[in-house]
Amino acid sequence: MTSILTDNLREDFYIKLYFDTSNGFYEAGIKRAFLDFSRTLFVKDENRKTLKQTAEKFILSELNKITQIEFNSQIEFDNFHKTICEQLIKIWSELTFGQAQKWLNMTLKYWLLFGDRRIEGIEKNAIYFHIPIDSYVQKGMFGEKYPKAWSKIDNYETYFNYQERHRSKNTENCPIIDEFNFFNIYKPK
């Protein structure tokens, strides 16, 4: 029997439940990704709102490039990603590399989830996207029993080591798809 509820209608409903799309899908992904790590951000600066807005505009501007140009290699994308993390930390100095990567990687993950009909060109470079590192990934995908808190990762090399370790597994999927699959089956202990 054919369902009266189409896949597109079902998908649109789920997205509306989880994301505030009132300012569009690009901003919805950025703002939701901020919520994914913000509990770890202890801000002393009274300019938090201004810093957040500046950072969001920067992320939108930089990550939008991923939908416009096509990267030629993983190395080219990795260098682009590192530069964005470094620049984001310059904008908001209280961010660690762990928090910056989480914000960028979860934004890209959400944009990919929204799909090409909402974020045109998002799949163009998706094969290069990084796995967002958090405690679930550290424990479940990397088997770390007592990992260092991802939000306290203070250098790009420590973060990037996770990407390289995953790539060495040669799963035949792009890393972000492996991460989606992982979260669909993972049961935290």
Side-chain angles (χ1 to χ4, degrees):
M1 179 174 156
T2 304
S3 173
I4 62 170
L5 188 60
T6 66
D7 287 342
N8 282 343
L9 190 56
R10 183 178 289 114
E11 185 178 285
D12 289 342
F13 179 75
Y14 281 135
I15 287 171
K16 288 285 187 183
L17 283 177
Y18 196 66
F19 296 92
D20 175 6
T21 59
S22 58
N23 292 318
F25 291 100
Y26 291 88
E27 286 189 34
I30 293 169
K31 288 182 183 300
R32 181 67 218 179
F34 176 81
L35 295 176
D36 289 341
F37 83 90
S38 64
R39 67 178 176 71
T40 69
L41 181 62
F42 304 103
V43 179
K44 300 169 193 146
D45 196 323
E46 63 275 355
N47 295 323
R48 178 184 176 118
K49 185 175 181 180
T50 303
L51 288 168
K52 182 176 178 275
Q53 289 172 342
T54 302
E56 287 173 342
K57 286 178 185 169
F58 170 75
I59 291 169
L60 177 61
S61 170
E62 292 303 306
L63 291 188
N64 194 41
K65 293 175 184 174
I66 290 170
T67 67
Q68 307 298 314
I69 62 170
E70 217 165 311
F71 288 92
N72 294 312
S73 69
Q74 184 69 61
I75 292 171
E76 185 181 1
F77 180 87
D78 292 343
N79 290 334
F80 177 79
H81 186 277
K82 180 180 181 183
T83 300
I84 294 174
C85 282
E86 292 170 341
Q87 291 174 340
L88 182 57
I89 291 168
K90 284 181 183 172
I91 290 169
W92 197 343
S93 63
E94 292 171 316
L95 292 175
T96 64
F97 273 99
Q99 292 163 327
Q101 67 81 25
K102 179 83 170 195
W103 200 352
L104 297 177
N105 292 336
M106 288 303 294
T107 297
L108 290 174
K109 181 179 178 180
Y110 290 142
W111 286 5
L112 187 59
L113 176 73
F114 295 154
D116 204 63
R117 92 179 150 100
R118 295 180 193 91
I119 306 285
E120 188 177 344
I122 191 58
E123 294 204 19
K124 194 176 291 192
N125 295 294
I127 61 169
Y128 303 127
F129 289 2
H130 290 188
I131 295 170
I133 303 303
D134 61 19
S135 61
Y136 295 118
V137 167
Q138 289 172 307
K139 292 175 184 175
M141 287 184 83
F142 293 100
E144 295 180 5
K145 203 167 189 175
Y146 304 107
K148 176 181 181 176
W150 62 268
S151 61
K152 298 201 184 317
I153 294 173
D154 58 1
N155 64 73
Y156 197 80
E157 292 70 33
T158 299
Y159 154 74
F160 193 68
N161 181 265
Y162 285 104
Q163 305 306 320
E164 290 178 317
R165 283 171 51 200
H166 180 74
R167 291 174 192 166
S168 72
K169 294 177 183 178
N170 295 321
T171 66
E172 298 185 21
N173 291 322
C174 55
I176 195 67
I177 296 303
D178 286 335
E179 197 263 359
F180 267 104
N181 285 328
F182 164 73
F183 266 96
N184 284 342
I185 61 169
Y186 183 65
K187 295 178 181 140
K189 295 176 182 173

